[in-house]
Amino acid sequence: MNALCTLVMLWSISTVVVMTTVSQKVDVRTALGTVRGNGFPTFQEFLGIPYGTAERFEPAVPRSKGFDQNPLDATYFGPACLQTLTNVTTYGSEYSCHVLNIWRPAGVGPGANLPVLLFVPGGTNDFGEAEPYNASIMASDQHAVICSINYRVGPFGFVALKEQALAGEPTGNFALTDIQAALRFLRQHVADFGGDPKRLTLFGQSSGGGLVLLHTVLPSSSGLLEGVISQSGDLGARPLDKSLGVTETLAERLNCTQKGFKSTRACLVAATGDELVYAQGVTCITPNACNAATSWSPTVDGALLPDDPLVLAKAGQVNPLAVALGANTNDSYLFIMNTGPIGRTEYEAALLAAARGNVTLARALLALYPPRDNRTDDHVDLMGWWSSDRMLCGLRRTAAAFAAAPPTKGQVHLYRYNYFFQSNRVCTAASNWHDPSWGSVHQDEVSFVFGQPIFMNIGYTNCSVPGWSGFDRSCLDCHFNATEAAFARAVGRLWTSFAASGDPGVREGIERGEVQEAADAEWPRFGAGGRNVLLQPTGAPQRMQAEFALGRPEYCEVWDEVDADA
């Protein structure tokens, strides 16, 4: 995980529809009390539902006592988990942030047994929350129950403590226990909202996709869910000693020794939440772009996560789940586009370093990604392409490990996403229009999964409304044209069909005669043939095709050799 991270200002008003349609209050009865949400003509939303509790540096537990209000006011998002906002300000709450949101189609009630998807937002494990991700259209168009979660980030979610490790207790993975608590909560209560608790799929993007994938190898997640969808996430975790080193950096910045603490744990528990955030060494260029001296990752703690997750997958020690994963064609370019200029000499040195000094492999890479003739020309775009290919080929190897594991064999699907918002050039709020020369980069798929433009770096789902505090010109005219709307419906259908049946090409379990066809796409199970689907608009009707080895077999052949021991 790179210590350089982008931290995003994430706060929100409710959905775009709220700005144009007066909502009606709608109640759902649960064993914990009545939940009161917002009702609209095509969907209903229940926001900020407390799903669990957790003490600092302790695993989360699902909520079991009644709600503090009756009815619970679920008409507005709950707080984000405590994180950085600027150099001198924090954002969110440490102890009241374990909340989730639920969207369902209008007219749905208990007994509908719709497939359920729980979204885990990303943010390099340092920041992030669910508010920017408006799932109203995804729920109504796809006739599914869509949920999203806030979970602990930064040191609150990922600090590893030596005392816990020596005692054989879970450590460094508190964010993963938050997700488990949410899954247990939904298992017990989502039926009240019309969801099928036996058809529950996690999906997540970026670092959220990585957290989602880890539930395939967490023994304690067995039986909590039926499937996972990872968007640009990898299956990885940091060795315990490395995570403990990050914790010591935090302790040094808190001056724990000088303050007389005899243990790092005691010092970190005694610190205020804001002190822990600032101890990360955060410096911000703007209110939503910051660097930190620390970086966070899940940990191989030997308790919650017994071994390196890829080692577990290759050994077949995985939970019996359906697995879908993939990334965007030029995914990695988003993270390096501002690192240039990179001249020819530096570019060639980077490829040699990627080949770990193997001159033969470095020459093979240079043949695949030849430098420009002019030694002073910028090569940062070429770095983006080969970094993205390396990532895609790594995901293909991960898919192969799952496909070979008996519990997941025959239930693995791989994709390559190759599109970005192009309806107009005005809507530039991420993840929407950008320079076409970038290709399809990290996060470009997000708007199309959710069925409408999403504003990840702003947070306000009503940011296109002049006069509101969240107004931003980059959100103006953010809507899909007919081609993109059809493509978004097809992508959303693939995701929800996967949740319904374990196969993105099969939609099952629709009650009372509603027609929900599977998306028209050739998305084969990943197996010995190594085929995946290519997700991009194809015109009317949408018919997305399969390809071999992510469309780059000769590239993956070299990268597989480069990363053979990785």
Side-chain angles (χ1 to χ4, degrees), residues 233-234 327-333 349-357 361 365 368-369 382-398 416 549-550 552 554-566:
D234 63 351
N328 299 353
T329 301
N330 200 18
D331 207 287
S332 301
Y333 184 53
L351 275 177
L352 179 61
R356 289 182 280 183
L361 288 175
L365 291 173
L368 291 172
Y369 309 97
L382 299 181
M383 290 270 288
W385 287 113
W386 69 251
S387 297
S388 299
D389 282 355
R390 187 179 195 177
M391 174 190 182
L392 286 164
C393 296
L395 290 176
R396 181 171 173 263
R397 294 192 300 275
T398 300
R416 175 168 69 94
L550 298 155
R552 50 221 347 96
E554 68 275 22
Y555 298 85
C556 283
E557 183 178 342
V558 177
W559 284 117
D560 287 351
E561 189 173 355
V562 168
D563 294 323
D565 299 324

Side-chain angles (χ1 to χ4, degrees), residues 10 42 104 106 113 169 178 188 200 204 221 227 235 263 271 283 286 289 426 432 463 480 487 510 518 529 551 562:
L10 299 172
T42 60
R104 69 180 185 182
N113 291 325
E169 300 171 357
D178 293 349
Q188 186 165 1
L200 179 52
S221 287
L235 183 65
S263 78
T283 56
T286 67
V426 178
N432 298 294
C463 62
F480 293 146
F487 176 56
I510 298 301
V562 168

Side-chain angles (χ1 to χ4, degrees), residues 522-543:
E522 183 189 6
W523 194 346
R525 290 180 173 86
F526 186 87
R531 299 172 74 219
N532 61 275
V533 73
L534 174 60
L535 298 178
Q536 62 183 14
T538 60
Q542 296 288 334
R543 173 64 180 172

